[in-house]
Amino acid sequence: MNDLKQHQLINELNFKAIRSSGAGGQHVNKTSSKIELTFDLENSLSLSEDEKTLLKTKLASKLTKENLLILFCEETRSQHKNKELAIKRFLQLIKTNLVKPKKRRPTKPSRSSILKNVEKNKRKSLKKDLRKKPKLD
């Protein structure tokens, strides 16, 4: 993913600051340091239709019914750091899920591997035959 595309994606993000839970004493009650990042996958202009369908299938569990991707970040007490962390996570999530898996090419086992398997199975069979009680005729 190139820098221009990343910049376009970042411009399409919506941020919302919310009061964070956790440590911080009285400061927590006054400041909104938790960041909620939302990305509208359906109406994105920087992604092609193929990329959108790929992301919809791969991120199905993380998307809402309206195809919104919502990420939260409340790791630090700084709103700006939380925003940066949320953007990094978002870009990493998009980058990893845009990778198309390689198509599997079915292969045949080589002749030598078939012969090795046959030989190995014969030896195993012989070993188990030798464990049996001898037949008295």
Side-chain angles (χ1 to χ4, degrees):
M1 189 183 310
N2 58 17
D3 289 337
L4 179 66
K5 194 166 192 168
Q6 283 184 1
H7 191 69
Q8 289 172 341
L9 281 171
I10 292 171
N11 287 338
E12 292 181 7
L13 298 176
N14 292 318
F15 298 97
K16 188 175 172 184
I18 310 165
R19 284 204 185 127
S20 183
S21 61
Q26 293 173 336
H27 183 69
V28 166
N29 303 328
K30 297 186 293 181
T31 58
S32 301
S33 59
K34 181 178 182 178
I35 293 292
E36 178 187 86
L37 176 147
T38 53
F39 176 67
D40 190 359
L41 184 62
E42 196 72 47
N43 299 320
S44 175
L45 300 172
S46 56
L47 296 172
S48 68
E49 289 302 316
D50 293 336
E51 291 173 330
K52 286 180 188 179
T53 53
L54 184 65
L55 286 173
K56 279 180 197 174
T57 54
K58 286 192 169 185
L59 297 174
S61 62
K62 295 181 188 280
L63 294 174
T64 63
K65 290 177 185 172
E66 298 84 32
N67 287 322
L68 286 175
L69 177 67
I70 301 173
L71 297 175
F72 293 98
C73 185
E74 59 176 333
E75 287 179 18
T76 67
R77 287 171 62 178
S78 165
Q79 189 182 106
H80 298 292
K81 285 182 184 174
N82 282 336
K83 191 174 181 179
E84 287 176 21
L85 286 170
I87 291 171
K88 282 181 186 175
R89 277 193 210 144
F90 167 76
L91 291 174
Q92 187 63 39
L93 188 71
I94 296 295
K95 194 184 289 186
T96 54
N97 286 298
L98 278 178
V99 176
K100 291 182 181 175
K102 287 184 180 178
K103 196 169 186 178
R104 184 188 174 280
R105 288 197 188 120
T107 58
K108 284 196 299 187
S110 64
R111 185 165 184 223
S112 63
S113 68
I114 293 171
L115 292 174
K116 279 181 192 174
N117 281 335
V118 168
E119 187 61 37
K120 182 181 76 175
N121 290 339
K122 281 182 183 176
R123 272 188 267 126
K124 195 184 287 183
S125 174
L126 180 66
K127 184 198 311 180
K128 294 192 178 212
D129 278 341
L130 291 173
R131 291 180 188 162
K132 293 178 184 175
K133 289 183 180 177
K135 291 182 183 174
L136 301 172
D137 289 330

